Amino acid sequence: MRTKGQIISGFSTRQTIIALAIIGIFAIGLILRVVMTAETKVSIPIRADAKDYYLYAHNMIEYGVYSRQAPGKFKGPKPVADAHRAPGYPLFLVPFVKFPPTFKMVNSIVVTQAIISALTILAAIACFKSFLSWPWTFGAALLTAISPHLIAFNIYLLTECLFTFSLVLLTLAMVRLSRSRNPLLAVIVGLATGVSFLIRPTMLYFIVFLVPVFFVFFKKKKGAVLALFLVIGFCAVWGPWTLRNIVVKPRKSTLAVQTIHKGMYPNLTYNNDSRTYGIPNHFDPTWDQLRDMKSVVREISRRFKKEPLRYIRWYIFGKPAMFFSWNMIVGMG
């Protein structure tokens, strides 16, 4: 039976409005994503990075080997194991992968990504509400729902959708941890960080900055306990992958070295030449001499000592601004 101030039995008018707003925003985001995946046809959906992810999933299913070697290019009965890319996204693809690949397979993947992307909106609402009022939360959630980037990246077989979802869940777990200070939640934060790392290896460095935070926002003893449980959770996910690489000794990835190397050029150009924008390393004659992390870090250090103000300005202001810009720097399009 309804009483005054109620729209739906058992809920106040305010609760009903909040529930309807959440459902409405979620529906808008879901419809935009599903329509985008249904109406967009990618002519060659499995190529470049997507081809690597597909081959990893296929070889895990067919041969039990984590490798991106294509069938027909093996020197032996099985592909050669490697660690060029982290296994998070290929593991996500395993339930969908068929050989040879079909458009039906691709459609199943992108529709699933669209649903995961829509669920990201709900997780984002929970995060926003931790520090915003409901009107501001709904505004931020609506922007998340209609963000062109968050909608468009679901149509490709790439890590962005899954990585975004994992980051929002990680943020939500951290918010909950900051309030409850429960060691179990610290383990969950560690697990979420580990899962994010398996999707995008750059998260390995995040743990280095995250652990000290516990000693800043919590009392020393409590911070140490929570940090320990966080590391335990992270290692539970990161450990098996690391152990596999120690045992198998696969071909190692050079992506991290290439990314850090390419990012050291101010404005992503070589000698401020606009023609080199996005690919400054291709024009640098010293590129071939900087193929490992040690030599790249040494070169960055040398540049900082030679032009400290220029590189401080680039790393603190220029690079973040370029990272968050809408400009297409590298990639198709």
Side-chain angles (χ1 to χ4, degrees):
M1 180 177 178
R2 296 179 189 174
T3 60
K4 186 176 180 180
Q6 291 182 323
I7 295 177
I8 300 175
S9 179
F11 294 89
S12 67
T13 302
R14 183 172 181 273
Q15 289 173 328
T16 303
I17 292 172
I18 289 171
L20 291 175
I22 292 173
I23 293 170
I25 292 171
F26 174 76
I28 291 170
L30 180 62
I31 291 169
L32 288 172
R33 284 155 176 76
V34 171
V35 170
M36 181 75 178
T37 57
E39 297 296 327
T40 305
K41 303 300 179 185
V42 181
S43 57
I44 308 176
I46 301 179
R47 58 181 169 183
D49 294 358
K51 183 179 179 181
D52 283 356
Y53 296 128
Y54 169 80
L55 289 173
Y56 277 124
H58 169 262
N59 288 333
M60 278 192 287
I61 296 169
E62 192 70 23
Y63 303 101
V65 177
Y66 191 74
S67 170
R68 62 189 179 122
Q69 277 192 312
K73 294 186 178 181
F74 308 160
K75 292 183 178 179
K78 290 185 177 183
V80 177
D82 67 60
H84 186 72
R85 298 188 186 277
Y89 190 68
L91 286 171
F92 164 75
L93 294 180
V94 164
F96 304 96
V97 163
K98 307 290 183 185
F99 187 81
T102 64
F103 279 103
K104 184 179 179 181
M105 178 200 79
V106 173
N107 289 338
S108 298
I109 295 169
V110 298
V111 167
T112 302
Q113 290 186 163
I115 294 170
I116 291 173
S117 183
L119 292 174
T120 302
I121 300 168
L122 296 180
I125 290 174
C127 290
F128 297 147
K129 187 61 188 71
S130 65
F131 61 93
L132 295 173
S133 63
W134 276 117
W136 284 103
T137 294
F138 292 144
L142 183 60
L143 290 176
T144 303
I146 64 175
S147 166
H149 281 58
L150 296 181
I151 295 169
F153 64 35
N154 299 300
I155 65 174
Y156 298 103
L157 273 61
L158 297 174
T159 60
E160 277 78 358
C161 170
L162 203 60
F163 186 62
T164 302
F165 184 56
S166 71
L167 283 187
V168 176
L169 290 181
L170 170 59
T171 305
L172 182 58
M174 291 175 64
V175 169
R176 296 287 187 264
L177 175 62
S178 67
R179 294 179 175 180
S180 72
R181 306 185 181 189
N182 187 328
L184 179 59
L185 272 173
V187 173
I188 293 173
V189 170
L191 290 171
T193 306
V195 170
S196 299
F197 158 73
L198 290 185
I199 300 171
R200 284 283 184 90
T202 48
M203 289 299 289
L204 177 63
Y205 301 102
F206 182 69
I207 194 79
V208 177
F209 297 98
L210 183 58
V211 169
V213 169
F214 286 82
F215 296 93
V216 174
F217 291 97
F218 301 111
K219 292 181 180 180
K220 190 174 181 180
K221 185 176 180 180
K222 189 67 175 180
V225 171
L226 293 178
L228 175 62
F229 277 92
L230 176 138
V231 172
I232 290 172
F234 178 78
C235 289
V237 178
W238 171 73
W241 171 244
T242 303
L243 181 62
R244 174 262 183 187
N245 292 337
I246 292 173
V247 173
V248 176
K249 294 182 173 59
R251 298 176 186 172
K252 293 183 178 180
S253 171
T254 59
L255 288 176
V257 176
Q258 292 177 29
T259 300
I260 294 174
H261 187 179
K262 185 178 290 187
M264 77 181 184
Y265 300 92
N267 301 317
L268 290 185
T269 60
Y270 179 67
N271 289 340
N272 292 319
D273 186 344
S274 60
R275 294 173 299 175
T276 68
Y277 180 63
I279 48 173
N281 49 299
H282 292 180
F283 295 85
D284 188 348
T286 66
W287 169 256
D288 288 332
Q289 302 169 22
L290 305 173
R291 289 295 188 180
D292 59 79
M293 189 64 74
K294 186 177 180 180
S295 60
V296 170
V297 172
R298 189 187 302 119
E299 175 62 17
I300 293 173
S301 177
R302 185 191 70 79
R303 292 182 178 221
F304 260 98
K305 290 177 182 177
K306 185 178 179 181
E307 300 178 274
L309 292 180
R310 184 187 184 199
Y311 282 90
I312 288 172
R313 185 166 59 247
W314 165 239
Y315 276 97
I316 295 179
F317 301 106
K319 197 173 181 182
M322 187 171 287
F323 178 78
F324 286 108
S325 72
W326 289 67
N327 296 329
M328 177 66 75
I329 299 173
V330 292
M332 297 299 293

